[in-house]
Amino acid sequence: MDPFRPWLIQLGFVNLLTCLLLSGCQKQKTTTEELSTGQIYKVGQGNYSTTFGIYDTSPESPDGSRIAYIRFLQEPKHERDGHPGELWLCDSDLTNHRKVCDVPIVRPHNGAQVFWVDDQTLGFHTAWSDNPRELFVVDASSGENRFAPIPGVTDVGHDAHAGKILFATDVRTKGTPIGVPGMYELDAATGEYTLLISVSELNKLKHVLPASALNAEGAYPESEWKFLHLMYSPNAERIAFRLDVGTEPSQRLRLSMKPDGSDVINLDPLLLHFRWYDDQTFAGHDRDKSRWLLPVRYSYQSEFLGTIANVPGNHYAMSPDRKGFLSESNYNSDPVILRYYHADDNLQTSQIIAEFSPLDVIWKKRYHVNPAFSQDGKRAYFHMPTEDGYNGTYVVQIKP
C-alpha cells in the first residue's frame, strides 16, 4: 500500500500546498475511531487520479464498512479526455485496498458516478466516447456483472433505492437504442427495466413547462430534450430530474413526477446542485439575486421555505439527519474553500474543512470537489488536488 500524508487544515488561513510541503508522514490509522477529528486522510492510493461519485452520493457502502472509488490509469489532458480506469474498494479504516473490476472509460467530471445499490452491489457508468455509454451493475466482491451492461445510457440516477436504479436515454444515445428516448427504472436483481416517461410524453406537457424556456433563443427541437440528475425522493414516491430544453441556463429545468410518470411539476427556482431535502422539499443553492448561492429550501411545488444558512456555496451535500451541510466556494474560486456548517450558521461560524489551490485540476479539468457524507454523518468525503497535481480522494472525521 502506498503511504499517504494526513494533515490538519487550520481554520481560515492555512494554504494546503504549503501544509503538504511542511507536513511529515504519519503512520496510517487502523480503525475508524483513530481518525483524528479535523485531520485529512487520502483514500485512493498511488500516483493516479482518483474520484468518488457525483456530489452528495456517499462512497460508503450502506453498512459503512467499505469505500468505493475510481482509479484513472492514465491522466486526462483535459475535461473531455477519456481513458480506461478501475473500480477499487478499501475498508472504512482505509486499509485493504483492492481492485473490483475494470472500467472501460472514465473522464474527470463525476468519474464513473459510482453508487452503492446494496452492501454487495455497485453501479457505475462509462463516460462519453465514440462507443455507447453503458450502465454496469457488479458484485462488490468479485467484480462480476450481475447482468449484461445496459447500453446507450445517457444519464444515471444519483442513488439507488430498494434495489432500483434510474437511468435515461435521449438524443445523445449512441448505438442501438434499448427503447424510446426517456427515463427508465432498472431492477438490479433481475436486469429488467421499465419505461417511466418518454421524451414524447414530456413534449405534451407544455402547460407545465415554462413558455419562456421553450420559446427562447437556443431552444432545442422537442426530440432533443436531455435528462440529467435523476433522483428518488427519500420515500421514492416522487422522482426529480433536470430536463434541458435549450442551451441557456434558464432552459435547464428542474422537474419532479410520480414514478408512473404522472403529476409532472416544474420547480420554478433554478437551484444550483439541487437535492431532495425530504419527501416534500428540495435544497440547493439559490440563484435569486437577493439570496445568491445561499443554501435554501423549496417545496416541490415551488414554495420558498427559507434560507438554511448564510453560507454561499456550490456543490452541495447534506448529512443523513439533515443537521450538517457541506459545500465549496463557487466556480473558478482560488483558493477553493470547503466548509462544514449547521443550519443558521454564517461564514464566521462555519468550519473550514479544507482550503487549497485548484491548480488546473478542479475547474479546468472539472474534477469537482463533489462533497458527500458518510452513512453516519460523521465523515466528509471530497476531491482536491494532490501535491503531484493529480486529483485525490480524501476523507476527514468531523464533529457533528
Side-chain angles (χ1 to χ4, degrees), residues 3-10 14-27 29 35-45 352-356 382-388 390-397:
F4 61 88
R5 299 170 183 254
W7 58 84
L8 179 63
I9 302 294
Q10 303 296 331
V14 174
N15 181 283
L16 174 64
L17 298 180
T18 301
C19 186
L20 282 168
L21 293 172
L22 295 178
S23 63
C25 293
Q26 297 183 18
K27 184 178 180 180
K29 306 299 180 179
L35 296 184
S36 299
T37 300
Q39 195 164 351
I40 295 177
Y41 297 85
K42 190 176 180 184
V43 177
Q45 302 297 288
I352 294 179
I353 295 295
E355 181 173 352
F356 52 90
F382 59 97
H383 300 156
M384 67 179 175
T386 69
E387 58 184 313
D388 299 322
Y390 296 103
N391 186 70
T393 38
Y394 295 90
V395 61
V396 60
Q397 194 85 7

Side-chain angles (χ1 to χ4, degrees), residues 92-105:
S92 60
D93 63 2
L94 308 183
T95 64
N96 192 24
H97 290 257
R98 63 273 194 192
K99 176 183 170 181
V100 177
C101 64
D102 294 323
V103 180
I105 184 169

Side-chain angles (χ1 to χ4, degrees), residues 23-312:
S23 63
C25 293
Q26 297 183 18
K27 184 178 180 180
Q28 179 165 329
K29 306 299 180 179
T30 57
T31 67
T32 299
E33 290 72 21
E34 290 178 347
L35 296 184
S36 299
T37 300
Q39 195 164 351
I40 295 177
Y41 297 85
K42 190 176 180 184
V43 177
Q45 302 297 288
N47 294 322
Y48 304 91
S49 281
T50 58
T51 59
F52 296 128
I54 199 167
Y55 67 91
D56 201 31
T57 296
S58 181
E60 283 189 357
S61 57
D63 65 6
S65 67
R66 287 162 294 169
I67 304 167
Y69 62 92
I70 293 292
R71 174 184 284 187
F72 287 67
L73 297 182
Q74 182 176 339
E75 182 62 22
K77 295 180 180 179
H78 51 77
E79 63 172 286
R80 296 185 180 277
D81 188 16
H83 297 287
E86 297 171 340
L87 174 60
W88 280 65
L89 291 181
C90 69
D91 294 343
S92 60
D93 63 2
L94 308 183
T95 64
N96 192 24
H97 290 257
R98 63 273 194 192
K99 176 183 170 181
V100 177
C101 64
D102 294 323
V103 180
I105 184 169
V106 289
R107 284 182 177 177
H109 189 225
N110 299 329
Q113 201 166 321
V114 177
F115 59 92
W116 289 88
V117 179
D118 54 46
D119 286 324
Q120 301 301 323
T121 311
L122 284 159
F124 65 89
H125 65 82
T126 55
W128 301 104
S129 70
D130 292 333
N131 297 317
R133 202 175 194 190
E134 295 179 299
L135 167 59
F136 288 77
V137 178
V138 301
D139 183 282
S141 298
S142 68
E144 295 181 357
N145 292 329
R146 297 290 194 190
F147 40 80
I150 309 298
V153 171
T154 55
D155 201 61
V156 174
H158 283 226
D159 305 281
H161 182 90
K164 303 295 178 64
I165 301 167
L166 297 172
F167 71 89
T169 65
D170 53 44
V171 68
R172 298 167 293 175
T173 299
K174 294 184 178 181
T176 303
I178 63 168
V180 300
M183 187 193 307
Y184 293 79
E185 184 177 68
L186 171 68
D187 186 334
T190 65
E192 297 178 353
Y193 45 84
T194 304
L195 176 67
L196 304 183
I197 193 168
S198 67
V199 171
S200 61
E201 289 172 315
L202 284 167
N203 294 159
K204 300 174 183 178
L205 300 178
K206 295 183 180 62
H207 60 289
V208 172
L209 309 180
S212 58
L214 300 180
N215 299 328
E217 184 177 354
Y220 296 137
E222 292 180 354
S223 62
E224 295 182 10
W225 292 357
K226 302 174 177 68
F227 292 95
L228 297 97
H229 297 296
L230 317 176
M231 310 176 212
Y232 290 107
S233 62
N235 63 8
E237 292 183 3
R238 293 194 71 83
I239 294 169
F241 58 102
R242 196 178 104 186
L243 183 71
D244 287 8
V245 299
T247 59
E248 298 301 314
S250 62
Q251 294 168 317
R252 300 167 187 169
L253 309 179
R254 278 74 171 161
L255 307 176
S256 72
M257 68 180 192
K258 293 181 178 179
D260 63 3
S262 66
D263 193 30
V264 177
I265 296 177
N266 179 62
L267 177 66
D268 291 332
L270 299 177
L271 298 180
L272 178 65
H273 298 128
F274 77 130
R275 287 288 272 158
W276 286 98
Y277 182 90
D278 56 29
D279 294 326
Q280 301 294 319
T281 68
F282 292 110
H285 294 102
D286 210 331
R287 288 176 172 173
D288 183 277
K289 290 183 180 179
S290 65
R291 299 182 291 270
W292 184 245
L293 296 183
L294 292 180
V296 294
R297 284 180 65 199
Y298 281 85
S299 74
Y300 72 82
Q301 295 175 323
S302 300
E303 178 187 3
F304 176 67
L305 300 175
T307 299
I308 294 173
N310 192 28
V311 182

